[in-house]
Amino acid sequence: LGQGGKRIEQNGETEVWAKALEHGEYAVALFNRGESETETAVKWKDIGFGETAKARDLWTHQNPGSLPLGFSAKVPAHGVVMIRVSR
C-alpha cells in the first residue's frame, strides 16, 4: 500500500508496530529489545479491529485461529514475533 508501519505501543523494552496490508489485513511485529524473554501483546482495538480477529504467525507458520481481544506471545531477548492479522 506504500505506507510504512507505525508504532502503536511502547512499554519499556518492548514495542508493537503495525502496518496496513491489502484486503484490510495487518502485519504486526512484537519487538523485545531487552536482555531476557518477555510476554508482549497487541490488542485488536489498537489496530482498528473489533473484538475478534484471526492471526497467523509468520515465523512458525502456525494459525492460532480466531482470537478474542488480541494476541500475545513470548518474545525472546532481542527478538521479534511477526503475525498477519485478518478479520
Side-chain angles (χ1 to χ4, degrees):
L1 296 177
Q3 300 172 347
K6 294 181 183 178
R7 185 173 62 198
I8 58 172
E9 185 177 328
Q10 181 176 14
N11 185 5
E13 298 287 334
T14 64
E15 295 182 14
V16 177
W17 286 69
K19 179 185 181 338
L21 302 173
E22 290 183 306
H23 311 295
E25 296 179 323
Y26 275 81
V28 177
L30 310 172
F31 291 97
N32 176 8
R33 300 180 192 281
E35 298 292 328
S36 59
E37 180 180 81
T38 188
E39 186 85 15
T40 306
V42 59
K43 296 177 188 127
W44 299 145
K45 68 177 183 173
D46 292 341
I47 60 172
F49 279 33
E51 291 188 9
T52 303
K54 295 178 187 174
R56 176 167 175 80
D57 188 313
L58 297 176
W59 300 157
T60 65
H61 306 287
Q62 299 294 314
N63 291 317
S66 293
L67 302 169
L69 305 178
F71 173 85
S72 66
K74 290 184 179 180
V75 183
H78 302 288
V80 62
V81 170
M82 192 163 192
I83 60 172
R84 183 179 191 118
V85 182
S86 60
R87 296 186 192 278

